[in-house]
Amino acid sequence: MIKLKNICCIGAGYVGGPTMAVFADKCPHLKINVVDINEDRIKAWNSQKLDDLPVFEPGLDLIIKKCRNKNLYFSTNIEEKIKNADIIFISVNTPTKEKGIGAGKVSDLKWVEASARQVAKFASGHTIVVEKSTLPVKTAEVIKTILEAAQSSPDNESKASFDVLSNPEFLAEGSAIKDLVKPDRVLIGGENKEAINALSEIYKNWVPSEKILHTNIWSSELAKLTANAFLAQRVSSINSISAICEATGADVREVSRAIGSDSRIGSKFLDSGPGFGGSCFKKDILNLVYLCQYFGLPEVAKFWEEVVRLNEWHQHRISKLIVKKLFGTISGKKIAILGFAFKANTNDTRESAAITICKDLIEEGAFLAIHDPKVDPAQIKKDLCIEESVENDLKTLKDIPISDGAWFFSDEIKNTLIGADAAVILTEWDIYKKINWIEMSKIMRRPSWVFDARSTLLLTEQFKEAGLNYWRIGDGS
Ligand code: NAD
Ligand code: UGA
């Protein structure tokens, strides 16, 4: 039986960091090293100030405090940590390829390949290599080929042997610790039973055996893409229904409740919002689409492609609707954006609906005051590809051509809303649910609007009293 003592995780990102933190917490007998080429990220993971950790996840800081430098280490010394490991998780980024063959669809595997080459070069003894990143079907073959080729290369001094397993991660951001501690299932795909059992033993420290599923490696890789495709499809489905609700007088929340009570459908992932974001849904569906095309299944490709297309349409639908309600023009108007993260409880903005909607509104000439309790303004600048304006310049419109939109970051809700013609709720942060709109209506410019793209507010009476116009996603009543 293979006994594992030393773990190395390549990639200290949203998956590698929290996953290894939970491994360390649940397996004090294991030594866990998380390595990354990004020095700043590793520095942040080692920061004494827990507020400076590079990933915000409820509960993560406490685990880091407990395990860091006891059995959990963050380092840039990739060579040494790979050499000492009996099992290596590859948890690097796999974004959509930007150019070349398959651009815009297929995952860029250059970071995975680089990791496999590092492992091939530095590993010693028998090493289990685990795909933690989400990968297209058959990537394990690529990793295996690289590892085996390196062993037969004359200049390779390392005398290692390998097993490759697929162990995709199903955590969702914002609830990562909860998902890792109590997963619905753990999926392990591979050929060698001994290696599969060795990895299962790690999970058995806290996950019941019946929740640990063993499959062949290709099923495991495909199951991950399929899970994300199904979840995203549900969001696009309910968002498409929200548009019909608005047109017909129905209320999407009532429709969700009615269909979600059917145990065959289930109630989760039926909240209509501004469109799904996050680093994975779009990327993984496009990957699936590419695979379908590659394997000569254009009808299947088209089916899944529509999920992404609907999502994009839906995001633009919200921007258009805002312009329409504000008399067809938002040029020179101040619009408060409440929430920039792609969902609550995370500082991640990747593919956030807020990016598309804010870009649309700026394009129409609006001045956006953007608030988010966790997102850094530098990140917003990167996402919008527009420099931040100074708030005072906006007030006086100094230096800003009247037809150009602009944005500034506001770290206080009240300040965000002063003089605003509209507030747009794009992330379902709890703090937005507590806003006193009667008070806020006094500082906004009338006629003022609140666009609730997350259906977070249930204060219809308060809006009436405040004299605010209120629009809620999917509410045709
Ligand atoms: P991320 O971008 O946050 O982190 C990846 C890290 O890998 C980066 O810090 C990068 O510097 C590092 N890296 C890249 N190449 C490296 C190399 N050769 N050596 C050392 N470090 C290297 O990405 P993430 O969000 O953690 O996602 C990682 C994978 O997990 C992706 O395939 C993603 O699809 C999948 N996934 C993500 C989530 C999520 O919620 N973010 C959930 C499940 C699965
Ligand atoms: C998603 C999956 O839920 C995870 O299982 C998976 O591991 C992960 O992708 C991944 O592979 O990266 P995540 O993107 O972190 O997790 O967050 P979700 O909770 O799935 O939300 C995704 C997007 O859909 C968010 O923008 C969210 O606001 C939106 N959403 C979700 C809705 O609009 N309505 C819903 O009912 C649910």
Side-chain angles (χ1 to χ4, degrees):
M1 186 170 155
I2 306 173
K3 269 260 169 242
L4 303 173
K5 283 197 203 125
N6 248 297
I7 296 181
C8 174
C9 174
I10 305 179
Y14 282 87
V15 169
T19 306
M20 291 302 128
V22 170
F23 273 37
D25 191 27
K26 300 293 179 187
C27 312
H29 57 289
L30 295 175
K31 185 171 177 188
I32 299 171
N33 286 294
V34 188
V35 296
D36 205 294
I37 39 175
N38 183 335
E39 285 183 17
D40 289 340
R41 219 168 203 187
I42 291 297
K43 221 182 258 168
W45 278 113
N46 284 321
S47 164
Q48 284 315 306
K49 270 178 64 198
L50 292 172
D51 276 352
D52 291 345
L53 294 180
V55 171
F56 169 74
E57 277 296 336
L60 175 64
D61 49 354
L62 292 181
I63 302 181
I64 295 291
K65 195 172 162 198
K66 183 174 160 200
C67 302
R68 196 173 54 191
N69 298 329
K70 295 203 176 73
N71 68 330
L72 176 66
Y73 302 87
F74 294 92
S75 158
T76 50
N77 191 345
I78 299 176
E79 175 174 348
E80 183 195 304
K81 306 304 175 194
I82 288 181
K83 202 173 266 168
N84 295 337
D86 327 298
I87 181 163
I88 297 172
F89 290 81
I90 298 181
S91 186
V92 297
N93 35 323
T94 51
T96 305
K97 223 175 143 186
E98 283 176 1
K99 43 184 186 179
I101 300 166
K105 288 211 174 90
V106 71
S107 277
D108 192 340
L109 296 181
K110 73 174 170 217
W111 292 275
V112 173
E113 187 175 328
S115 304
R117 288 184 190 280
Q118 287 166 320
V119 173
K121 194 163 170 200
F122 303 129
S124 60
H126 187 73
T127 309
I128 300 175
V129 178
V130 184
E131 298 176 344
K132 195 48 138 171
S133 296
T134 303
L135 297 168
V137 186
K138 299 282 178 190
T139 308
E141 204 128 278
V142 176
I143 296 178
K144 239 183 193 164
T145 308
I146 291 171
L147 296 175
E148 280 164 11
Q151 292 319 296
S152 55
S153 155
D155 60 344
N156 191 342
E157 290 156 22
S158 106
K159 286 284 160 272
S161 55
F162 300 99
D163 275 305
V164 179
L165 299 178
S166 158
N167 172 220
E169 185 47 63
F170 295 97
L171 68 80
E173 287 179 33
S175 57
I177 301 301
K178 204 173 102 248
D179 298 339
L180 287 161
V181 170
K182 219 167 171 280
D184 284 344
R185 76 324 210 163
V186 166
L187 183 54
I188 303 177
E191 285 162 5
N192 181 350
K193 273 261 162 290
E194 250 200 294
I196 294 175
N197 288 339
L199 177 54
S200 302
E201 284 306 314
I202 298 183
Y203 281 106
K204 279 186 193 165
N205 285 292
W206 76 98
V207 179
S209 304
E210 64 275 13
K211 288 198 169 181
I212 304 175
L213 311 182
H214 297 173
T215 65
N216 81 33
I217 203 154
W218 320 127
S219 303
S220 172
E221 287 178 337
L222 186 58
K224 172 63 197 177
L225 294 185
T226 308
N228 275 358
F230 268 58
L231 291 169
Q233 173 265 321
R234 274 176 80 96
V235 177
S236 274
S237 295
I238 201 65
N239 283 340
S240 74
I241 297 300
S242 76
I244 308 180
C245 287
E246 286 165 35
T248 57
D251 182 341
V252 75
R253 291 165 314 140
E254 292 177 355
V255 174
S256 291
R257 199 171 72 232
I259 64 166
S261 319
D262 185 328
S263 59
R264 293 168 304 172
I265 296 175
S267 61
K268 292 183 180 160
F269 267 71
L270 287 180
D271 292 330
S272 185
F276 62 75
S279 61
C280 295
F281 276 2
K282 183 175 166 191
K283 153 176 95 66
D284 293 349
I285 294 181
L286 292 179
N287 221 324
L288 192 60
V289 167
Y290 186 79
L291 278 176
C292 297
Q293 284 165 345
Y294 181 82
F295 288 108
L297 300 165
E299 288 77 9
V300 186
K302 211 164 159 218
F303 174 79
W304 288 110
E305 208 164 16
E306 276 311 309
V307 173
V308 175
R309 215 195 294 265
L310 193 287
N311 194 52
E312 283 161 4
W313 170 81
H314 181 74
Q315 293 175 358
H316 293 302
R317 178 175 93 80
I318 293 175
S319 335
K320 281 187 193 149
L321 189 138
I322 294 169
V323 177
K324 197 170 155 203
K325 298 270 189 209
L326 295 180
F327 310 121
T329 175
I330 53 172
S331 183
K333 291 182 180 167
K334 178 177 171 183
I335 298 185
I337 300 294
L338 299 178
F340 201 82
F342 80 96
K343 62 187 278 197
N345 296 319
T346 177
N347 58 346
D348 197 345
T349 62
R350 290 178 286 181
E351 298 293 336
S352 177
I355 301 174
T356 307
I357 294 171
C358 287
K359 276 187 176 168
D360 283 352
L361 299 178
I362 290 174
E363 179 73 19
E364 289 288 328
F367 297 142
L368 305 185
I370 303 180
H371 178 275
D372 190 287
K374 288 289 170 196
V375 177
D376 198 89
Q379 185 57 48
I380 298 177
K381 182 180 127 188
K382 241 193 216 164
D383 291 333
L384 296 178
C385 308
I386 305 171
E387 287 292 330
E388 183 180 2
S389 300
V390 179
E391 189 192 349
N392 282 338
D393 286 351
L394 288 184
K395 275 187 193 147
T396 57
L397 303 188
K398 184 160 70 74
D399 296 335
I400 296 171
I402 195 76
S403 57
D404 284 357
W407 72 278
F408 70 94
F409 186 74
S410 172
D411 52 13
E412 215 253 310
I413 294 177
K414 193 170 169 196
N415 196 25
T416 316
L417 290 165
I418 287 178
D421 295 271
V424 186
I425 300 172
L426 293 181
T427 313
E428 69 283 21
W429 288 106
D430 273 343
I431 44 166
Y432 301 148
K433 296 176 190 160
K434 295 178 192 144
I435 295 175
N436 181 334
W437 288 104
I438 296 179
E439 283 306 306
M440 292 306 131
S441 69
K442 295 176 190 156
I443 58 171
M444 292 175 75
R445 187 170 84 150
R446 291 185 180 223
S448 5
W449 275 88
V450 175
F451 295 94
D452 185 359
R454 288 284 184 176
S455 238
T456 49
L457 312 173
L458 303 163
L459 313 165
T460 331
E461 283 314 308
Q462 208 187 100
F463 283 107
K464 265 192 207 141
E465 195 183 331
L468 285 169
N469 297 298
Y470 178 56
W471 172 90
R472 172 165 57 187
I473 189 90
D475 188 354
S477 62

